Every structure is written in C-alpha cells, then in structure tokens.
Amino acid sequence: MLEAEQQRERLRMETAAMRADMAAQFARWSGGAPNRATAIPWLSLHSRTETTMPATFVYEPNLAVILRGRKRVEVGDEVFAYDESTFLLTVVDLPVSACVVEATPAQPYMAMVANLDLAKVRQLILTYELPAPRVTPLRGMATGPATSELLCALWRLLDLLDEPADIPVMADLILQELIYLLLRSEQGGRLWQIAMAGSQSNRVQKVINWLRHHFAEPLRVDDLAQMAAMSPSSLHHHFREITAMSPLQFQKQLRLQEARRLMLVEDLDAGAASFRVGYESPSQFSREYARLFGQPPKRDVQLLRNP
C-alpha cells in the first residue's frame, strides 16, 4: 500500500512539473494573444487573463486541454465544465455557448486545442483494425481525465514548435498518438462511431454537415431523414442524442449566430441580417434572437461594440 501511494505521489509531482514546463512554453509561443495559431496547422493556443462572459461559437471536432484555469460550455440544455484535470472532446459540429470561469493576470487561463480530422480517425481505425467499442455513448461532446500520457503527447507538440523543419513529419505522428489515446479512453466510443461510415452517428453527422452549409434554406425533416437513411422519428431521436437539440433548434442557433456576425462584422441591420439567414419574419427573428442572446438585436450589437 505504501509503495502504491509513493508511486502516485511521484506521478503527481512529475505531472505537476510537466504542466509547469508546458505553461512556460505556452506563454512563450502565445505571446499573451487570446487566440494564437501555430506552425502546426491543426493546433492553436488560447489564453485569457480574466474571466469572460458567455459567447456563442460553433465547435468543430477537436480535443481541448486546459493547462491552467477553468471553462464552462453549454450545448442545448447540457453544461460541460472542465479544468486542468479533464479534457473536452467534441466529435461533431455543435453550436455552443462558452465562457472562461477561472483566469487572472497572475494565473492566466491557458488551453491547447487540437482539431481532429475524422478521415484520419477512420484511417487509423481501419489500418490497425481497432475494434468497435463495447459501450457507445451518443452525445457529441464529453469530458474525460487528462492523463499523463495525453499531456506528454501535447508537451511534445509544444517542443516541436522549436523544430519547424520536423513539423511536417512529426506532427502527424503525434496526432495519430492523440487519436489513439482518445479512442482507447472511456470517450473513445463517441469518436469511433462518428468516424466510421455506416454507423448511425456517422449518418447523423452527414445531416449536421448539411445544416452547417445550408442553414438559411427551409428545413424539411423528411429530406434530412432520407439523407441519413433513417425514418424521421429515428433521425430526430439520434440527432437529439448527439447534439442535445432537435434539427430545428440546431438550425435556429446557426442562423442566429450568423445573423449576429453579419450585424457586427458586415454592419447589416437586423432586418437585412434576418432575411440573409433565412427568416421570413423580422419580429420572429427579434424574439428568438433575444431569447438566445438576452437582448434584442440592436441593443445586443451596441453592447458588443461598446461593452
């Protein structure tokens, strides 16, 4: 028993030392910027020196690991909170509301995000004949323990930034390692199901991809069901299992997020933005916008521009 406790304490100290070194490298490469792309095309660094208000995004398939701080992500009516001890895995495109809930200038929030290419996940599964998981969780987002093996792979990615000539070869090898570690984890079933063609989750992913690119078009559930080779009731059930939303709610969030971007970035008024994203009734648009963002469109944009 004493030996086991000593081993755990050694592992804890080694992991703490690893995190401290990673945080120092992170700070050097991020330069204090809130969001920093890296020379590794699928790796980005995210930092905040203070907590943030909830903001809406569309998360694409990725692995997010926090080195310092804490974050809260809402998907539909579910909340995912994660910190230094856990990772956040997203396996499908999901409209979310997210905020940093722990960050200070002395201890800034630091997170590494690795985008996941589902084609590479599928290739790894097929190449090494990795078996289907016994338990298949359906939700498209989950948290899991940030193990020392996972941190070690991410640590080597930070080291690799100092060797740009090695990135074209070594980065993909480390990505394969990350994918394998995720597939082997308790959350691996989510990734396996989404990646493999023919699975129910993969068929729902096709519908999600279509909605991402055609959210301004009228939504016909029968057409979506045919696309997924499911009955309308089966599609509705599996879509909600994965996204925590119905297809209509998913489309609505995409529309409202894009309308907000159009008003902020392209300076469209609320009426023009509502028609651009597929609304026929400006009054309905204003009601649904206020329900999602907490303010009518004009007031919300004013507050975003002049907080």
Side-chain angles (χ1 to χ4, degrees):
M1 180 68 71
L2 180 60
E3 184 178 349
E5 290 178 0
Q6 290 174 337
Q7 287 178 343
R8 283 195 293 271
E9 179 61 17
R10 279 197 300 271
L11 179 60
R12 187 192 67 77
M13 293 178 65
E14 289 171 1
T15 301
M18 186 192 310
R19 282 186 180 279
D21 185 82
M22 291 175 71
Q25 289 179 293
F26 181 105
R28 179 163 58 88
W29 284 108
S30 71
N35 306 296
R36 178 62 61 96
T38 72
I40 299 171
W42 42 267
L43 178 70
S44 56
L45 308 178
H46 305 268
S47 178
R48 299 291 186 276
T49 56
E50 59 185 10
T51 59
T52 64
M53 295 296 292
T56 56
F57 308 91
V58 175
Y59 276 14
E60 297 180 346
N62 67 51
L63 165 70
V65 176
I66 291 175
L67 302 180
R68 282 183 185 164
R70 198 153 46 92
K71 193 169 188 178
R72 173 189 170 98
V73 179
E74 295 184 19
V75 181
D77 56 0
E78 285 199 43
V79 175
F80 297 88
Y82 68 115
D83 56 19
E84 299 174 10
S85 66
T86 50
F87 64 76
L88 181 73
L89 175 65
T90 306
V91 298
V92 296
D93 296 353
L94 289 173
V96 307
S97 173
C99 59
V100 173
V101 295
E102 185 178 301
T104 67
Q107 292 289 319
Y109 166 87
M110 296 180 174
M112 299 175 65
V113 175
N115 294 333
L116 299 175
D117 184 338
L118 295 179
K120 291 185 177 180
V121 176
R122 182 164 54 252
Q123 181 182 7
L124 187 70
I125 291 170
L126 295 174
T127 299
Y128 296 100
E129 299 181 350
L130 301 180
R134 294 179 183 176
V135 179
T136 307
L138 293 176
R139 189 69 80 225
M141 177 177 283
T143 58
T147 63
S148 58
E149 292 88 355
L150 195 69
L151 286 174
C152 189
L154 292 167
W155 192 12
R156 282 184 278 114
L157 281 178
L158 290 172
D159 282 340
L160 190 59
L161 294 175
D162 283 316
E163 304 293 342
D166 294 339
I167 287 175
V169 174
M170 297 302 298
D172 279 349
L173 295 177
I174 299 174
L175 179 59
Q176 283 193 43
E177 181 181 353
L178 285 171
I179 292 171
Y180 178 72
L181 290 171
L182 290 172
L183 287 169
R184 214 179 63 185
S185 74
E186 292 181 359
Q187 308 303 342
R190 303 171 196 274
L191 197 53
W192 197 100
Q193 283 290 329
I194 289 295
M196 292 305 288
S199 69
Q200 289 177 328
S201 298
N202 180 266
R203 284 183 276 161
V204 171
Q205 169 72 1
K206 292 180 181 178
V207 173
I208 291 172
N209 286 341
W210 188 89
L211 288 171
R212 279 292 313 272
H213 296 95
H214 301 86
F215 57 80
E217 299 179 20
L219 186 153
R220 286 176 45 85
V221 176
D222 287 349
D223 292 341
L224 298 180
Q226 185 175 5
M227 184 186 307
M230 295 180 179
S231 68
S233 60
S234 179
L235 171 63
H236 190 277
H237 171 74
H238 290 292
F239 195 98
R240 183 175 285 278
E241 284 284 348
I242 290 172
T243 67
M245 289 170 268
S246 69
L248 183 61
Q249 290 170 325
F250 190 95
Q251 179 199 47
K252 186 184 299 182
Q253 289 216 20
L254 293 177
R255 284 181 167 185
L256 294 172
Q257 286 192 26
E258 174 62 9
R260 195 186 210 190
R261 188 196 69 80
L262 290 169
M263 290 185 288
L264 274 172
V265 177
E266 300 189 20
D267 204 28
L268 268 63
D269 61 33
S274 69
F275 287 123
R276 179 84 70 86
V277 300
Y279 278 88
E280 296 180 357
S281 166
S283 59
Q284 181 188 2
F285 167 75
S286 294
R287 286 195 303 273
E288 294 183 351
Y289 189 102
R291 194 174 302 129
L292 179 62
F293 297 118
Q295 298 283 351
K298 185 175 181 179
R299 176 64 176 157
D300 178 58
V301 171
Q302 288 174 340
L303 288 173
L304 290 170
R305 287 178 173 160
N306 303 289

